[in-house]
């Protein structure tokens, strides 16, 4: 099946006489005919037993997303943050380190630089544009992973995924890619060598600002038996001696994430949330196409305006990331544009407050046009140095183009720019 078809049919197939629409299984628990059967599940979870870590409705969505990304399995989480957290914790323990590009989402910077550090896990940030030899200097004997974003939020830098996959694999560790802005419709990181893909499904995948969520996808391609990951190859005492690579083959990573981390942390979405996410996924290919088209029109408008100092949209031919976009995002570079208005922060705030159709909100990649000032919101906790490293100019506005008629979006921009 192709993407449009997968979005409608993957994950759930009705039985004879069964409901056309994937049912919401709103139940915390599941019933078995014997104590013996339940006992076996605690050794080897082959069925749903408790909705803290698995549920049939959520599972259907997991299968659909895994299929879209070209992975062997997926696990949904209650937020994108939880997905990034568990993706790392499945590899790193106290005393380990990992490498991340510095151009990533502000919330992820906090998680990696501040909170994980308190747990004894060190993140070493690298410049995504640096050459391979420079990036390789960040590796230590305890490095367990490399992390980056396909299309960085909000710098809109396109990551050279193949370069990072090669570097990670030379050092025997997996590459984790946050593919939130691109979605599998615009880019499939696994096809470029990524081993693990994470998403905030709160953005385009849900698309309607209905529920916060995340997902981790396992490519099934990484060799966990290369000596660097004993937790995968030695018995897990908390599961009566399960050996993930021996017992689950190329699904070792995603099953370990569920059996150890989701069991213990429980940041699993509700069935109802998965149902809503599935509705968003059904129309994702149609929506992504229109986001890209609308955003290209808006980016070109900003580009010719004498009130705008800089436009960052990799779809534009003179954008510094256009060449990388042609390789990794040939069908479009999503609906998010970063602009820097002349006149700095004050002008930025005036422009944003003057918009009537576009709303000022803490969200992005939504069906309705919205704007945000990263330096005073999502990236507020970052130091000036971190802001620069993340590609965030103090006057930068993240303009998330929605699916309104593009003429209405342009009219709104025009009337507000006129007053700046
Ligand atoms: C929003 C976002 C996150 C965090 O996701 P939540 O669902 O808000 O927890 C992570 N990465 C990127 C790129 C994001 O845009």
């Amino acid at each position: 099946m192709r993407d449009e078809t997968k979005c409608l049919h993957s994950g759930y197939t009705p039985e004879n006489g069964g409901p056309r629409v994937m049912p919401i299984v709103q139940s915390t628990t599941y019933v078995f005919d014997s104590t013996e059967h339940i006992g076996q599940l605690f050794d080897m979870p082959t069925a749903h037993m408790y909705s803290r870590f698995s549920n049939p409705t959520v599972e259907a969505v997991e299968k659909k997303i895994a299929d879209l990304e070209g992975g062997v399995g997926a696990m949904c989480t209650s937020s994108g943050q939880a997905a990034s957290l568990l993706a790392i914790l499945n590899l790193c323990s106290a005393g380990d380190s990992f490498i991340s590009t510095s151009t990533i989402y502000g919330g992820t910077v906090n998680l990696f630089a501040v909170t994980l550090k308190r747990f004894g896990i060190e993140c070493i940030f690298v410049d995504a544009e640096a050459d391979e030899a420079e990036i390789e200097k960040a590796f230590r004997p305890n490095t367990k992973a490399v992390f980056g974003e396909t299309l960085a939020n909000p710098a809109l830098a396109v990551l050279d995924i193949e370069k990072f996959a090669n570097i990670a694999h030379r050092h025997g560790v997996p590459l984790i890619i946050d593919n939130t802005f691109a979605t599998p419709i615009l880019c499939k990181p696994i096809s470029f060598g990524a081993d693990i893909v994470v998403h905030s499904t709160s953005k385009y995948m849900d698309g309607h600002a209905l529920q916060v969520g995340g997902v981790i996808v396992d490519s099934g391609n990484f060799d966990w038996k290369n000596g660097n990951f004993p937790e995968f190859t030695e018995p897990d005492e908390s599961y009566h001696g399960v050996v993930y690579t021996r017992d689950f083959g190329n699904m070792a990573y995603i099953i370990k994430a569920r059996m150890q981390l989701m069991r213990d942390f429980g940041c699993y979405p509700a069935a109802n949330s998965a149902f809503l996410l599935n509705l968003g996924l059904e129309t994702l290919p149609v929506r992504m196409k229109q986001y890209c088209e609308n955003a290209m029109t808006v980016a070109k408008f900003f580009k010719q305006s004498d009130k705008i100092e800089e436009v960052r949209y990799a779809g534009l031919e003179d954008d510094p990331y256009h060449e990388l976009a042609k390789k990794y995002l040939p069908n479009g570079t999503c609906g998010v544009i970063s602009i820097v208005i002349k006149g700095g922060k004050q002008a930025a705030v005036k422009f944003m407050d003057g918009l009537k159709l576009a709303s000022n909100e803490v969200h992005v990649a939504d069906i309705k046009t919205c704007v945000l000032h990263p330096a005073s919101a999502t990236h507020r906790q970052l130091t000036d140095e971190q802001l620069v490293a993340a590609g965030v100019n103090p006057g930068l506005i993240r303009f998330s183009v929605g699916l309104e008629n593009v003429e209405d979006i342009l009219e709104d921009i025009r009337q507000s720019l006129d007053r700046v």
Side-chain angles (χ1 to χ4, degrees), residues 212-231:
V212 169
V215 69
I216 305 174
V217 183
D218 181 359
S219 70
N221 293 335
F222 192 81
D223 176 18
W224 305 108
K225 291 186 281 196
N226 68 3
N228 292 334
F229 298 93
E231 273 194 32

mmCIF file of all heavy atoms in Angstrom, residues 212-231:
data_model
loop_
_atom_site.group_PDB
_atom_site.id
_atom_site.type_symbol
_atom_site.label_atom_id
_atom_site.label_comp_id
_atom_site.label_asym_id
_atom_site.label_seq_id
_atom_site.Cartn_x
_atom_site.Cartn_y
_atom_site.Cartn_z
ATOM 1 N N VAL A 212 -2.596 15.932 23.131
ATOM 2 C CA VAL A 212 -1.143 15.867 23.144
ATOM 3 C C VAL A 212 -0.738 14.385 23.089
ATOM 4 O O VAL A 212 -1.365 13.554 23.739
ATOM 5 C CB VAL A 212 -0.613 16.551 24.425
ATOM 6 C CG1 VAL A 212 0.870 16.285 24.625
ATOM 7 C CG2 VAL A 212 -0.887 18.044 24.374
ATOM 8 N N GLY A 213 0.273 14.077 22.296
ATOM 9 C CA GLY A 213 0.706 12.686 22.218
ATOM 10 C C GLY A 213 2.054 12.557 21.535
ATOM 11 O O GLY A 213 2.583 13.517 20.969
ATOM 12 N N GLY A 214 2.601 11.358 21.618
ATOM 13 C CA GLY A 214 3.880 11.104 20.962
ATOM 14 C C GLY A 214 3.969 9.650 20.529
ATOM 15 O O GLY A 214 3.078 8.841 20.835
ATOM 16 N N VAL A 215 5.030 9.317 19.809
ATOM 17 C CA VAL A 215 5.215 7.937 19.386
ATOM 18 C C VAL A 215 6.704 7.671 19.150
ATOM 19 O O VAL A 215 7.454 8.591 18.787
ATOM 20 C CB VAL A 215 4.386 7.633 18.107
ATOM 21 C CG1 VAL A 215 4.928 8.362 16.882
ATOM 22 C CG2 VAL A 215 4.305 6.131 17.817
ATOM 23 N N ILE A 216 7.103 6.424 19.406
ATOM 24 C CA ILE A 216 8.462 5.971 19.096
ATOM 25 C C ILE A 216 8.333 4.846 18.071
ATOM 26 O O ILE A 216 7.536 3.923 18.268
ATOM 27 C CB ILE A 216 9.165 5.394 20.351
ATOM 28 C CG1 ILE A 216 9.159 6.401 21.500
ATOM 29 C CG2 ILE A 216 10.596 4.965 20.018
ATOM 30 C CD1 ILE A 216 9.713 5.836 22.816
ATOM 31 N N VAL A 217 9.100 4.921 16.987
ATOM 32 C CA VAL A 217 9.068 3.880 15.963
ATOM 33 C C VAL A 217 10.442 3.211 15.893
ATOM 34 O O VAL A 217 11.471 3.891 15.891
ATOM 35 C CB VAL A 217 8.720 4.470 14.570
ATOM 36 C CG1 VAL A 217 8.615 3.354 13.528
ATOM 37 C CG2 VAL A 217 7.423 5.276 14.621
ATOM 38 N N ASP A 218 10.433 1.895 15.822
ATOM 39 C CA ASP A 218 11.675 1.116 15.737
ATOM 40 C C ASP A 218 11.843 0.613 14.305
ATOM 41 O O ASP A 218 10.947 -0.052 13.772
ATOM 42 C CB ASP A 218 11.557 -0.075 16.722
ATOM 43 C CG ASP A 218 12.803 -0.951 16.760
ATOM 44 O OD1 ASP A 218 13.773 -0.664 16.019
ATOM 45 O OD2 ASP A 218 12.790 -1.926 17.533
ATOM 46 N N SER A 219 12.989 0.920 13.696
ATOM 47 C CA SER A 219 13.241 0.468 12.322
ATOM 48 C C SER A 219 13.468 -1.036 12.261
ATOM 49 O O SER A 219 13.273 -1.662 11.229
ATOM 50 C CB SER A 219 14.490 1.161 11.756
ATOM 51 O OG SER A 219 15.645 0.661 12.410
ATOM 52 N N GLY A 220 13.933 -1.594 13.381
ATOM 53 C CA GLY A 220 14.276 -3.016 13.393
ATOM 54 C C GLY A 220 15.629 -3.298 12.757
ATOM 55 O O GLY A 220 16.034 -4.448 12.625
ATOM 56 N N ASN A 221 16.341 -2.243 12.378
ATOM 57 C CA ASN A 221 17.590 -2.434 11.624
ATOM 58 C C ASN A 221 18.861 -2.447 12.469
ATOM 59 O O ASN A 221 19.900 -2.903 11.999
ATOM 60 C CB ASN A 221 17.751 -1.316 10.577
ATOM 61 C CG ASN A 221 16.698 -1.406 9.492
ATOM 62 O OD1 ASN A 221 16.171 -2.479 9.237
ATOM 63 N ND2 ASN A 221 16.370 -0.282 8.875
ATOM 64 N N PHE A 222 18.774 -1.907 13.688
ATOM 65 C CA PHE A 222 20.026 -1.755 14.443
ATOM 66 C C PHE A 222 20.467 -3.085 15.067
ATOM 67 O O PHE A 222 19.654 -3.856 15.561
ATOM 68 C CB PHE A 222 19.893 -0.685 15.528
ATOM 69 C CG PHE A 222 21.215 -0.298 16.113
ATOM 70 C CD1 PHE A 222 22.032 0.599 15.458
ATOM 71 C CD2 PHE A 222 21.679 -0.882 17.290
ATOM 72 C CE1 PHE A 222 23.280 0.928 15.966
ATOM 73 C CE2 PHE A 222 22.923 -0.554 17.804
ATOM 74 C CZ PHE A 222 23.722 0.357 17.143
ATOM 75 N N ASP A 223 21.785 -3.327 15.062
ATOM 76 C CA ASP A 223 22.333 -4.557 15.642
ATOM 77 C C ASP A 223 22.668 -4.322 17.119
ATOM 78 O O ASP A 223 23.747 -3.826 17.448
ATOM 79 C CB ASP A 223 23.589 -4.974 14.867
ATOM 80 C CG ASP A 223 24.247 -6.195 15.509
ATOM 81 O OD1 ASP A 223 23.558 -6.895 16.301
ATOM 82 O OD2 ASP A 223 25.436 -6.440 15.218
ATOM 83 N N TRP A 224 21.738 -4.690 17.996
ATOM 84 C CA TRP A 224 21.945 -4.464 19.440
ATOM 85 C C TRP A 224 22.946 -5.432 20.031
ATOM 86 O O TRP A 224 23.322 -5.313 21.189
ATOM 87 C CB TRP A 224 20.591 -4.569 20.174
ATOM 88 C CG TRP A 224 19.571 -3.648 19.616
ATOM 89 C CD1 TRP A 224 18.485 -3.978 18.865
ATOM 90 C CD2 TRP A 224 19.551 -2.210 19.719
ATOM 91 N NE1 TRP A 224 17.798 -2.838 18.492
ATOM 92 C CE2 TRP A 224 18.424 -1.751 19.006
ATOM 93 C CE3 TRP A 224 20.378 -1.270 20.346
ATOM 94 C CZ2 TRP A 224 18.108 -0.393 18.897
ATOM 95 C CZ3 TRP A 224 20.065 0.083 20.239
ATOM 96 C CH2 TRP A 224 18.939 0.504 19.526
ATOM 97 N N LYS A 225 23.384 -6.412 19.227
ATOM 98 C CA LYS A 225 24.323 -7.402 19.735
ATOM 99 C C LYS A 225 25.778 -7.010 19.467
ATOM 100 O O LYS A 225 26.683 -7.833 19.529
ATOM 101 C CB LYS A 225 24.021 -8.769 19.092
ATOM 102 C CG LYS A 225 22.694 -9.336 19.595
ATOM 103 C CD LYS A 225 22.440 -10.737 19.098
ATOM 104 C CE LYS A 225 21.937 -10.709 17.670
ATOM 105 N NZ LYS A 225 21.335 -11.956 17.233
ATOM 106 N N ASN A 226 25.999 -5.714 19.152
ATOM 107 C CA ASN A 226 27.362 -5.304 18.789
ATOM 108 C C ASN A 226 28.270 -5.069 19.997
ATOM 109 O O ASN A 226 29.389 -4.595 19.850
ATOM 110 C CB ASN A 226 27.320 -4.033 17.910
ATOM 111 C CG ASN A 226 26.836 -2.807 18.684
ATOM 112 O OD1 ASN A 226 26.580 -2.878 19.888
ATOM 113 N ND2 ASN A 226 26.710 -1.693 18.003
ATOM 114 N N GLY A 227 27.772 -5.377 21.206
ATOM 115 C CA GLY A 227 28.620 -5.266 22.393
ATOM 116 C C GLY A 227 28.406 -3.994 23.195
ATOM 117 O O GLY A 227 28.827 -3.900 24.346
ATOM 118 N N ASN A 228 27.729 -3.024 22.606
ATOM 119 C CA ASN A 228 27.532 -1.752 23.309
ATOM 120 C C ASN A 228 26.260 -1.708 24.151
ATOM 121 O O ASN A 228 26.027 -0.729 24.856
ATOM 122 C CB ASN A 228 27.475 -0.597 22.298
ATOM 123 C CG ASN A 228 28.812 -0.367 21.629
ATOM 124 O OD1 ASN A 228 29.842 -0.689 22.213
ATOM 125 N ND2 ASN A 228 28.798 0.184 20.428
ATOM 126 N N PHE A 229 25.393 -2.724 24.024
ATOM 127 C CA PHE A 229 24.080 -2.638 24.665
ATOM 128 C C PHE A 229 23.739 -3.905 25.455
ATOM 129 O O PHE A 229 22.834 -4.663 25.100
ATOM 130 C CB PHE A 229 23.003 -2.344 23.603
ATOM 131 C CG PHE A 229 23.226 -1.037 22.917
ATOM 132 C CD1 PHE A 229 23.945 -0.967 21.718
ATOM 133 C CD2 PHE A 229 22.768 0.146 23.483
ATOM 134 C CE1 PHE A 229 24.184 0.252 21.110
ATOM 135 C CE2 PHE A 229 23.008 1.376 22.874
ATOM 136 C CZ PHE A 229 23.713 1.428 21.675
ATOM 137 N N PRO A 230 24.469 -4.128 26.571
ATOM 138 C CA PRO A 230 24.244 -5.358 27.340
ATOM 139 C C PRO A 230 22.807 -5.505 27.850
ATOM 140 O O PRO A 230 22.328 -6.632 28.014
ATOM 141 C CB PRO A 230 25.241 -5.240 28.510
ATOM 142 C CG PRO A 230 25.779 -3.844 28.471
ATOM 143 C CD PRO A 230 25.593 -3.340 27.093
ATOM 144 N N GLU A 231 22.092 -4.394 28.062
ATOM 145 C CA GLU A 231 20.702 -4.513 28.541
ATOM 146 C C GLU A 231 19.814 -5.241 27.535
ATOM 147 O O GLU A 231 18.725 -5.697 27.871
ATOM 148 C CB GLU A 231 20.101 -3.124 28.787
ATOM 149 C CG GLU A 231 20.374 -2.583 30.168
ATOM 150 C CD GLU A 231 19.470 -1.389 30.464
ATOM 151 O OE1 GLU A 231 18.338 -1.343 29.964
ATOM 152 O OE2 GLU A 231 19.935 -0.496 31.197
#
